[in-house]
Amino acid sequence: MFRRPGLVTRIALAALTVTAAVAAAVPSPAAPTISAALTASAAPAVADVAHRGASAYAPENTVAAFELAARQRADMFELDVQETADHKLVLMHDTTLARTTDVEKVFPDRTPWRVGDFTLAEIRRLDAGSWFSVDYRDEPVPTLGEVLDAMADKAPGLLLEVKEPRLYPGVEARVADELRDHPSWLSPGRLVVQSFDWNSMRTFHRLMPEVPIGLLGTPPIADLPKLAEYADLINPPYGGLTRDYVRRVHSHGMGVLTWTVNDTAVARRLVSYGVDGIITNRPDAMRQVVSR
Ligand code: G3P
Ligand code: CA
């Protein structure tokens, strides 16, 4: 099982590796980041996790948002994986394409524009940036594989959410295959896979027992021992989260990443509860709250 106190340390080590690679390519600007990470690796740390990327400033679940999160020194970036009609893995939060793309204009007759009703070739035609800002016009909906490639040398850690897996039978195996095709993400401490669907996560754990599992939600304390048989993290919404709940999760050897926290005062309170990570749309602001 993944050991809770190692999460941020391992991510910090992954950050060093990734930052060192960037530093080798671009010598002077990256050097201060390496020393900052070295200094902080001795301190107790809380992971700064960019929710759907730096989604306060760039369109969610796009490479632009993930790259911005990396530049803002997030420890991990979070993304949502779903599946197309031809079983390709794409990044999208909603189960329809309407809110974050121009699908209604490009395919006016395809209501309700479900992700799973479109092929990858069709989704390639969509603009996933203009809804957010004209500055991001023509930003594409990325595939999971494209993001694993694009971010391999840029971001320390990835929090991969399998969104609504009941809509995509077999998606767990396809995610596992994609990860095996990108083995650098399987380095210790670099990856957590999570879902609101705990059965799906049990399935994923059977497929890739080496990958830490996060369960989204707030399971009853009485259920924690059973869940700890395959889960490494419990990831609850921050509203209603208590110091005692965090302590109970820790007592079963699991960590806590809480979401979605955009207010630094709230984040400081949650850090005082002992959470292991803050999932935020504003990784730059949270950088000031967490240790590294
Ligand atoms: O990572 C936590 C968070 O992403 C879960 O909620 O709806 O934003 O996917 P949601
Ligand atoms: Ca998510």
Side-chain angles (χ1 to χ4, degrees):
M1 179 197 291
F2 170 83
R3 295 191 191 287
R4 180 187 72 77
L7 173 63
V8 177
T9 304
R10 287 180 178 189
I11 293 168
L13 290 172
L16 282 177
T17 308
V18 171
T19 312
V22 174
V26 190
S28 51
T33 310
I34 294 175
S35 43
L38 273 172
T39 305
S41 62
V46 177
D48 178 5
V49 185
H51 181 236
R52 312 181 197 170
S55 59
Y57 315 108
E60 65 187 57
N61 279 310
T62 65
V63 170
F66 304 141
E67 288 181 337
L68 182 56
R71 290 198 296 278
Q72 294 183 348
R73 299 181 54 231
D75 296 302
M76 308 180 84
F77 66 101
E78 191 256 7
L79 54 75
D80 301 291
V81 175
Q82 296 189 57
E83 207 173 282
T84 64
D86 48 344
H87 303 296
K88 307 297 183 200
L89 299 172
V90 291
L91 304 196
M92 186 62 49
H93 176 271
D94 300 1
T95 53
T96 77
L97 298 157
R99 180 177 61 88
T100 57
T101 77
D102 58 350
V103 70
E104 295 185 38
K105 194 173 76 187
V106 180
F107 297 102
D109 304 326
R110 300 277 293 275
T111 182
W113 302 288
R114 281 185 285 258
V115 177
D117 290 344
F118 287 77
T119 64
L120 179 59
E122 289 170 332
I123 287 178
R124 294 269 191 222
R125 293 174 55 192
L126 303 179
D127 170 355
S130 292
W131 71 274
F132 187 87
S133 160
V134 290
D135 294 344
Y136 291 100
R137 193 176 62 199
D138 294 333
E139 184 72 29
V141 175
T143 64
L144 176 60
E146 286 165 352
V147 170
L148 295 175
D149 282 335
M151 300 307 293
D153 295 333
K154 292 181 182 159
L158 168 60
L159 177 59
L160 186 162
E161 180 179 347
V162 184
K163 185 60 86 184
E164 301 288 358
R166 67 193 163 83
L167 298 177
Y168 312 110
V171 66
E172 297 86 359
R174 282 183 277 275
V175 170
D177 286 346
E178 194 69 70
L179 290 169
R180 287 192 191 101
D181 285 347
H182 296 82
S184 75
W185 286 102
L186 300 176
S187 306
R190 249 200 129 180
L191 173 69
V192 173
V193 173
Q194 68 171 0
S195 184
F196 285 101
D197 186 326
W198 304 346
N199 286 330
S200 169
M201 289 299 93
R202 196 183 289 115
T203 300
F204 188 86
H205 175 68
R206 279 197 285 267
L207 294 168
M208 293 194 94
E210 72 275 30
V211 173
I213 294 293
L215 303 181
L216 282 160
T218 311
I221 285 168
D223 293 352
L224 295 176
K226 202 85 194 131
L227 298 173
E229 290 173 8
Y230 66 95
D232 305 276
L233 294 148
I234 301 294
N235 298 343
Y238 77 88
L241 184 61
T242 64
R243 188 187 304 274
D244 183 62
Y245 190 84
V246 173
R247 187 179 59 78
R248 300 287 194 128
V249 173
H250 285 171
S251 74
H252 292 286
M254 295 182 286
V256 175
L257 307 181
T258 190
W259 46 277
T260 301
V261 186
N262 296 316
D263 182 291
T264 52
V266 173
R268 283 195 180 87
R269 175 169 56 79
L270 295 162
V271 168
S272 81
Y273 291 176
V275 300
D276 302 277
I278 300 283
I279 301 173
T280 179
N281 299 341
R282 302 174 61 214
D284 56 342
M286 291 307 144
R287 187 77 267 150
Q288 299 156 25
V289 176
V290 302
S291 310
R292 187 167 69 77

